[in-house]
Amino acid sequence: MRSGCPHRQSRSPLVSSALNFTPVPPGASKCPTRPPCDNAAVLAAPAQRAWLRDAEAHPERLRQYLRRVYEQPIGVLQVNISQFRFFWSAVPSLGHDFQVWWACFLCDYPTGALWAPLSDAIMDPCTTPEPMPFPGFFVTRTPPIHEDVRMTGVPDNMWVEIIRIARRNDKSQERDQCLVGQVRLQGFDSMQFSPFFPKMTLELVDCRGAHRSDALSRWESACPPGHIDLRAASELSNRTMRLAHSALKIEQQQRFIAWLAGSQEDVVLRESEALMALLRSDVSLRPWSLEIAKPTSHMADAATPQPPTAMVELSALVSDAALPVGSALCEFVDDFRDMYGQVAAAPAERASAPSAVPAAPSSSLWPLPLPSLQLLQQLPQRLWWRSRADHAPAEGAPPPLQQVVTRVHEVLTALEGLLDEHLPLSLREDPRAVGEGRRQLAGQLHRSIYAVLSPLYAAAQATEISALAQSSHHMRSLLPCDLQLPPPLWLVEPGDPSAVALRDCGPSDPRLPYAIAVQLLRTLTFYRTPEEKAKVLLEACEEVIKCATRALSLRAAGTGKASKGAAMGADDLLPLLVYVVTRSRVTSLPAELAFICDFLPAGQQHGKEGYALVSLQCACRVAQDLNWTSDSLLRPEAMGEGAGAAAGRSCGAAAATLS
Amino acid sequence: MASRTSSYKVVLLGEGRVGKTSLVLRFCRDTFVDGQPPTIQASCLERALRLGDKTVNLVIWDTAGQERFHALGPIYYRDADAALLVYDITDTDSFKRIQVWVRELRKMVGDSIQLSIAGNKSDLERQRVVSRQEAAEYADSVGAHYAETSAKQNRGLDELFSSMGKRLLASREEKLGSPALGSGPASTRRSRGAAMVLIDDEPPASSSSSRCC
């Protein structure tokens, strides 16, 4: 760490009052360009092991401490030690000193190892082995991240664990705002915590991929699980991120960070002073906070003020024919005609004489590139921001979702009518051209208004989202073998030793049964148009069936019975979808499904996409009130197993979860 | 318009293990000519029927028979043109379950849905517990078409589905005669406004009125 770094200076007093850590000096490492790291010393460290044993043997003590830290009344906070990866250093009743291995993203840490993340994201412990204060450490309970991550950054759909340092809930004041260096990102499963934590969100500020030319867009479509709000943490971070992204090389970026660390000293000092003042007045204040999200998505954060009052205004504006939407549409039609014309001209001319129907362009040319509909795209954005500025958040007023949806449908119909009018005659007679034009138009519209619609849906479905989040958390160790299903569809037998490990797996783990379907479903939130989303649903269903069919035919082959067309009906599909929904932890799923249901074109509602949608709606409903204790969907003997696993096997007692 | 292929949504209801899946699989697979396998397999199958000069395309939606999913039925049969209720002639409970479904369908969807009742596993005549007469009388009393089928021996299926197709066509022609313009198979009939009704376990009664064009 650079000596001038204000973070360290400001935090040292806080930490030293708690505990001192001595990092293990780096040993052998697999980092190709870095000095080696050594885990053996960590694994062999008796103090760490003792501490962990201690913590796990006396979960009540740790729980008491956490309860105090989080200021939660007893009974609200449910702590599951076996899922608990992050330990505070200052456990009062334990009071050990530890050797902690300073881990960076590029290091490997075997399961069971203790590691502490750096207090500065950009710092690499392999090159800066000096001791740094940090209040706690993690226990690795998941397999190491795949090697490719080093090259490509965190891939799509991977869950990340985020540690934020020295931030409190209220981000409105400058002293609470986060610096880039205060955020550490790790490719680990998110922490398991009760969904009842109020006013907490996770923010992801990641600099590792900042040198990539597509860094900004890539992060937007990658990483965030449902409950992680992907955004720069503050204005400062926004600016930082922008600048960091503009720096093309890592070296430039690191220089920039160094500059940032030097220049923001006053902010950090103020933060530190305020913390110290609070610390003196209130002993229970947490000097370091790990922010934990309620496992609801950013779409669904009920505490976030919604600006719904302006939504009606928005839709009125969009549908107002006098507004520039009309001219925007003309542009769109012109573009579309040009593009389609170029593609379709030759075959259409050739075929026009003998047949009344113009020949469709060859299918390899579809889909056509999207014409721009820029004005339409900008309109809601402008309104959105204006509404945020003008309107105080509506108090208790339900978001006028229904009006907005109706209006959007009206707008869409009107736009389609206009499109038909503006299309040249030759194209208008080609059903394929008209269909494609409408499809693209609808896609444009949805892309432009998604940011407005999605919070409305989240608010409308808040209860369902919350129920699903709670249930997904409660049922997080669910496996297909817990369900009333034909045994070949379990993929993993309940008695299998690997089943035990699989129960603790995160949703990105490729060893999970039906992992591909789970991961597919997790991409749902990355798409903006109902058609794209419905396609994801269909693919997820198909993947489940593909997997299950393979298992069935393998079993049929194994038992020597002639395969009489191993086929799966809804009786088997639905329970598996419940499993996939639960495991995927896409907690915004109810809102997503409602959105798709409202806007999926009627033709598709009737087809396979519609079926996939309805099946997932069903599965989602059932997943919301699934529970271990009594559910006709679960095998009776599985109820005990799964519940025990959920309650914390490593504690050796099922009583680890407080109710 | 009549010459165009019209597509109908058929929802398949019945208790688990009555043979819903194999029934529909038998019906759709036997004449499933195109090379590509159906992607969601037996859960959602399509089959085109020639009825005279018209082609009827049936999209058959399988549902989960488990009791746990029962309350979610309305999500499935929303906008369905026909329902095929399958029971097992060797199982009285499955027949009773059919009656629950029929009551529910009539209450939720109204008369616009064509009902067909199939007594499956007719090859197991010796173990029969639901008599043909009892079932046929019940079907008559609720205005449903009744057929006994055997998915195993491929009996009664063509008759069942072609009767369904005919009745779907007839009811549609009846509707075409009415002054409403928007009538047609569900895919075109569903107005945008109706599509956005959020489905609940207990859909509001008004949802049925939007179906009568």
Side-chain angles (χ1 to χ4, degrees), chain A residues 1-5 8-9 12 21-26 35 100-103 116-120 123-134:
Chain A
M1 172 169 277
R2 284 157 186 81
S3 58
C5 177
R8 196 169 134 233
Q9 289 170 2
S12 297
F21 286 108
T22 317
V24 173
V100 174
W101 179 46
W102 292 107
L118 289 169
S119 55
D120 293 76
M123 290 302 165
D124 182 356
C126 296
T127 55
T128 54
E130 60 185 285
M132 273 186 288
F134 192 81

Side-chain angles (χ1 to χ4, degrees), chain A residues 574-594:
Chain A
L574 261 289
L576 284 175
L577 284 181
V578 171
Y579 158 78
V580 169
V581 165
T582 305
R583 274 291 190 163
S584 68
R585 287 194 260 178
V586 183
T587 45
S588 60
L589 194 64
E592 300 280 354
L593 293 176

Side-chain angles (χ1 to χ4, degrees), chain A residues 402 409 570-571 611 621 631, chain B residues 62 65-66 68 192 196 199:
Chain A
Q402 286 303 322
H409 279 304
D571 283 350
Y611 186 79
R621 281 287 171 82
D631 202 300
Chain B
D62 194 10
Q66 291 97 321
R68 188 74 168 74
R192 284 224 149 98
M196 69 184 207
I199 303 301

Side-chain angles (χ1 to χ4, degrees), chain A residues 344-360 426-427 429:
Chain A
E349 275 166 19
R350 254 183 281 133
S352 58
S355 126
V357 184
S426 60
L427 289 185
E429 286 171 357

Side-chain angles (χ1 to χ4, degrees), chain B residues 9 39 46 85-86 89 112 116 123 134 146 190 198 200 205:
Chain B
K9 172 174 161 183
T39 46
E46 255 184 272
L85 302 121
V86 187
I89 62 164
S112 60
S116 297
D123 47 299
E134 182 190 352
Y146 176 73
R190 187 211 314 258
L198 296 175
D200 251 321

Side-chain angles (χ1 to χ4, degrees), chain A residues 15 65 80 97 119 131 286 408 425 501 529 535 538 567 580 621:
Chain A
V15 176
Y65 171 73
N80 185 342
D97 277 6
S119 55
R286 47 196 183 278
V408 170
L425 200 62
T529 70
K535 201 164 147 260
L538 179 60
V580 169
R621 281 287 171 82

Side-chain angles (χ1 to χ4, degrees), chain B:
Chain B
M1 184 155 181
S3 65
R4 232 193 270 165
T5 306
S6 40
S7 179
Y8 294 98
K9 172 174 161 183
V10 181
V11 55
L12 192 61
L13 300 168
E15 209 170 49
R17 318 286 166 232
V18 295
K20 290 191 304 270
T21 308
S22 43
L23 188 139
V24 72
L25 211 65
R26 166 69 86 175
F27 173 66
C28 295
R29 272 252 175 107
D30 278 3
T31 45
F32 218 81
V33 276
D34 59 339
Q36 60 187 45
T39 46
I40 358 186
Q41 282 215 354
S43 313
C44 179
L45 283 171
E46 255 184 272
R47 155 113 195 234
L49 276 181
R50 285 297 293 173
L51 294 170
D53 60 338
K54 299 195 181 82
T55 307
V56 177
N57 198 31
L58 298 179
V59 186
I60 304 170
W61 286 32
D62 194 10
T63 63
Q66 291 97 321
E67 185 62 39
R68 188 74 168 74
F69 294 99
H70 181 95
L72 301 162
I75 301 183
Y76 277 99
Y77 53 66
R78 179 182 60 139
D79 290 318
D81 300 281
L84 174 57
L85 302 121
V86 187
Y87 74 92
D88 178 353
I89 62 164
T90 66
D91 181 357
T92 326
D93 286 346
S94 70
F95 184 61
K96 283 190 182 135
R97 187 79 183 277
I98 292 297
Q99 302 175 5
V100 176
W101 279 115
V102 168
R103 273 200 297 279
E104 200 175 304
L105 281 168
R106 286 293 180 222
K107 186 175 144 214
M108 299 290 186
V109 189
D111 291 332
S112 60
I113 190 165
Q114 298 293 328
L115 299 184
S116 297
I117 295 176
N120 198 24
K121 306 197 185 174
S122 65
D123 47 299
L124 301 174
E125 187 61 43
R126 254 180 275 170
Q127 297 162 37
R128 176 194 282 276
V129 289
V130 182
S131 78
R132 180 186 283 265
Q133 194 194 354
E134 182 190 352
E137 275 171 11
Y138 173 73
D140 262 358
S141 71
V142 294
H145 172 256
Y146 176 73
E148 295 218 333
T149 57
S150 165
K152 194 172 171 189
Q153 298 172 352
N154 198 4
R155 264 192 290 155
L157 294 174
D158 289 339
E159 187 250 326
L160 173 76
F161 282 100
S162 60
S163 150
M164 182 191 283
K166 278 178 202 151
R167 285 186 305 140
L168 282 169
L169 276 178
S171 83
R172 185 176 147 203
E173 270 156 21
E174 201 177 293
K175 275 179 197 159
L176 279 177
S178 73
L181 288 170
S183 56
S187 53
T188 55
R189 182 174 61 231
R190 187 211 314 258
S191 72
R192 284 224 149 98
M196 69 184 207
V197 173
L198 296 175
I199 303 301
D200 251 321
D201 281 0
E202 292 282 322
S206 61
S207 68
S208 60
S209 65
S210 70
R211 297 188 44 84
C212 307
C213 308

